[in-house]
Amino acid sequence: DYLRQQLQVRAWQGELTEGVDVTEDEVEAFYRVNDDAYQSDPRVVARQIVVDDRDQADRLRARALDGEAFADLAAEASLERAEQGGAVGGDEPQPVGRPAFPSAVADAVFARSTPGVTPVVESAGRFYLVQVEEIVPAQPRPLDEVRDEVREDALAAKQQATLDARIEELVREADVSVPEGSELSIDDPVVATVGDAEIHASELARATYTNPQIQQALSPQTASLISQFFKPSILEQLVDRELAVQGAERLDATFFGGDALIAQSALDWVARDAEADELSLIHISEPTRLRR
């Protein structure tokens, strides 16, 4: 019965979204406001030393920190790429991603936010020491490189928006009644108003009790906790989302998809040029100064 119902839902969704498509202009617009989702992986320019003795690795690290040239140390002692001075990626260091290193070594390398020498890391019985010479941050990949991926995502967003709109329409049209004498009642008050949009208690309940974490914690003992602490927080999230959706209409960009995607895309769009200076970081470290 469950599988039959799922197949029916999929068939209904397929019928509803049949014919929904995206234009090239919409693909470009979707990429423009979601380019953070299509970034290259961060890379590093680095040299490494690989030895099979921990004490030797520690001594080499101390020498590197004292100022000896890392390439000379690699040529002297490394079991790998000694002739290249430990260069990773070629005869001279070239930008490389995580796959260029064993997993544990990559964790240490990409944990660095500035150039420098990593701690000694053991992997598969060998000991690695890496000098990160340059950090190449993630960058948006060109649209021509990711056009097919963007088109699929844009189409999925547009199809989801079509489904959401139809479901909202069905909810509005639904005729719900309670049998006479029942202990149940229908009461769906407005719990928040954002501009002309109303958020009803049913929407808040749906957002609350479909939350996977809350579903796992449901019990008579947690009922009051959920109502007193989680519901107000989730209502605030719904208000913030609606504010972002309405604000998106005023921005010089095209957004489409479900409300959640539009809200997040709009927030990312207005924050795309934001930078943190030292004064901002000081303020963030003092919670009493934070303001919505």
Side-chain angles (χ1 to χ4, degrees):
D1 288 342
Y2 173 78
L3 290 175
R4 182 179 292 106
Q5 184 181 37
Q6 293 301 107
L7 291 172
Q8 289 173 338
V9 169
R10 291 181 187 177
W12 175 76
Q13 292 175 336
E15 291 178 2
L16 196 62
T17 59
E18 185 178 2
V20 175
D21 201 358
V22 289
T23 66
E24 286 303 313
D25 287 344
E26 288 174 327
V27 170
E28 294 177 6
F30 191 86
Y31 171 81
R32 183 182 176 212
V33 300
N34 295 286
D35 61 356
D36 284 350
Y38 306 100
Q39 293 197 351
S40 61
D41 293 329
R43 296 175 295 165
V44 295
V45 177
R47 295 179 184 270
Q48 69 178 10
I49 296 173
V50 185
V51 295
D52 55 12
D53 181 79
R54 177 62 185 250
D55 291 338
Q56 181 187 16
D58 289 335
R59 290 193 299 270
L60 289 166
R61 185 173 191 273
R63 290 170 63 184
L65 294 177
D66 284 342
E68 290 193 48
F70 197 92
D72 293 343
L73 293 174
E76 170 191 324
S78 183
L79 299 176
E80 297 180 10
R81 305 193 65 78
E83 294 181 357
Q84 292 79 25
V88 181
D91 291 338
E92 291 296 327
Q94 301 295 324
V96 295
R98 293 181 64 93
F101 306 94
S103 179
V105 180
D107 289 343
V109 169
F110 286 90
R112 296 197 60 86
S113 58
T114 58
V117 179
T118 68
V120 175
V121 180
E122 181 180 2
S123 177
R126 287 189 165 182
F127 299 90
Y128 290 75
L129 183 62
V130 181
Q131 182 186 51
V132 178
E133 298 181 353
E134 180 185 353
I135 296 174
V136 182
Q139 297 290 336
R141 294 154 65 193
L143 174 58
D144 288 343
E145 182 180 322
V146 294
R147 186 177 296 274
D148 290 343
E149 184 180 349
V150 175
R151 180 178 287 105
E152 290 181 8
D153 292 343
L155 178 60
K158 197 170 183 180
Q159 289 175 334
Q160 187 60 53
T162 300
L163 292 172
D164 290 348
R166 180 54 180 153
I167 290 172
E168 290 177 6
E169 183 181 358
L170 290 172
V171 170
R172 288 194 302 269
E173 294 175 350
D175 182 14
V176 183
S177 60
V178 176
E180 186 176 351
S182 172
E183 295 181 358
L184 301 176
S185 62
I186 298 176
D187 186 15
D188 193 15
V190 174
V191 293
T193 302
V194 185
D196 295 332
E198 295 179 341
I199 299 175
H200 289 260
S202 59
E203 185 177 355
L204 174 58
R206 184 164 56 253
T208 300
Y209 296 109
T210 57
N211 183 298
Q213 293 179 329
I214 291 179
Q215 286 182 342
Q216 293 178 2
L218 280 179
S219 72
Q221 291 74 29
T222 60
S224 61
L225 179 68
I226 291 171
S227 294
Q228 294 176 20
F229 293 99
F230 287 100
K231 270 191 175 181
S233 175
I234 291 175
L235 177 58
E236 185 175 349
Q237 294 173 16
L238 292 175
V239 170
D240 287 346
R241 186 181 72 181
E242 183 58 37
L243 283 169
V245 169
Q246 294 184 21
E249 299 175 358
R250 308 177 188 177
L251 299 176
D252 182 25
T254 301
F255 303 91
F256 56 89
D259 284 352
L261 178 59
I262 290 176
Q264 187 59 57
S265 297
L267 292 173
D268 290 343
W269 177 255
V270 298
R272 66 194 184 282
D273 296 325
E275 295 182 358
D277 54 24
E278 292 184 4
L279 183 60
S280 301
L281 296 175
I282 292 173
H283 286 179
I284 290 174
S285 68
E286 300 178 24
T288 56
R289 295 190 181 187
L290 290 178
R291 294 292 183 267
R292 288 189 59 202

